Amino acid sequence: MKKIKVASIWCESCSGCHMSILDMDERLVELINKGLELNATPITDLKVPDDDTDIGIIEGAVATDHHEEEVKMMREKCKFIVAIGDCAVFGGIVTMRNYVPLNELLKRGYIETESTVDGKIPTSPELGKHLPKVKAVNEVIKVDYYIPGCPPSADAIYHVLKEILEGKTPVLTGELLKYE
């Protein structure tokens, strides 16, 4: 049986979507038994997917140059891209920073907060540089499937992965689009 390799990353987000992946519980094991292979994910702590990865799951909005590089790498290495969660699908709550000039936002966050003493804006090259505007994933790369929600339900994620694993085109309807 050919394995279906899955990789995932999270960009600017809370990691709630990856928690929903784990909330699939024993259904995740079921998918693995049917041929799904977790290739590189924050769950496995492997960062770079194989070149022949089938499904790339992206959580979070694109907020830094590092995020932009990561989503482009996922597009190059993955046959299908699934944007998961409102931040990846629409930009989500993190796009609120688009309404404040970046320098003003960084100054307020790192220097002017009431509890900050001798604050400075971090400049380590290991940190990604903030883009002028936070973007949804489809503003940077082509996305094949979308799973909205904050976070999306484990049922919706399971449905999409199962459908792709079975060679079908996943469509979310009814209860799978219900959010609590």
Side-chain angles (χ1 to χ4, degrees):
M1 169 183 13
K2 180 187 180 301
K3 295 284 188 183
I4 302 293
K5 293 182 181 178
V6 175
S8 68
I9 61 171
W10 77 56
C11 297
E12 192 86 357
S13 63
C14 67
S15 76
C17 300
H18 275 79
M19 295 300 109
S20 286
I21 291 172
L22 293 175
D23 282 345
M24 287 192 294
D25 297 323
E26 61 275 355
R27 292 179 296 176
L28 184 57
V29 175
E30 172 198 322
L31 292 174
I32 290 169
N33 288 335
K34 287 183 175 180
L36 186 136
E37 175 186 321
L38 294 177
N39 178 251
T41 77
I43 298 166
T44 62
D45 202 26
L46 300 172
K47 308 272 189 269
V48 180
D50 293 345
D51 288 340
D52 61 345
T53 299
D54 298 289
I55 304 170
I57 299 172
I58 300 175
E59 171 187 351
V62 180
T64 70
D65 58 346
H66 288 184
H67 296 152
E68 209 166 49
E69 291 168 12
E70 287 179 290
V71 299
K72 288 178 180 175
M73 173 197 64
M74 290 290 278
R75 182 72 268 179
E76 288 175 16
K77 293 180 177 276
C78 302
K79 185 176 177 183
F80 299 111
I81 293 292
V82 179
I84 180 172
D86 286 352
C87 295
V89 173
F90 308 113
I93 195 168
V94 292
T95 59
M96 288 178 65
R97 92 150 157 91
N98 292 344
Y99 298 101
V100 179
L102 183 56
N103 287 339
E104 185 179 320
L105 185 76
L106 293 173
K107 186 177 171 189
R108 175 68 183 134
Y110 289 102
I111 297 172
E112 297 177 347
T113 59
E114 288 70 17
S115 61
T116 300
V117 177
D118 298 328
K120 67 177 190 175
I121 297 171
T123 57
S124 169
E126 293 180 8
L127 300 173
K129 290 185 179 166
H130 289 89
L131 299 174
K133 176 184 167 220
V134 177
K135 306 171 193 171
V137 173
N138 70 356
E139 293 179 74
V140 180
I141 62 169
K142 177 184 176 282
V143 172
D144 301 290
Y145 303 108
Y146 298 88
I147 308 176
C150 185
S153 71
D155 293 340
I157 297 166
Y158 170 77
H159 174 77
V160 168
L161 291 177
K162 182 175 170 281
E163 292 285 291
I164 293 173
L165 194 60
E166 294 174 353
K168 300 175 184 173
T169 300
V171 177
L172 295 175
T173 59
E175 290 293 313
L176 295 175
L177 289 173
K178 181 179 177 184
Y179 308 105
E180 297 179 20

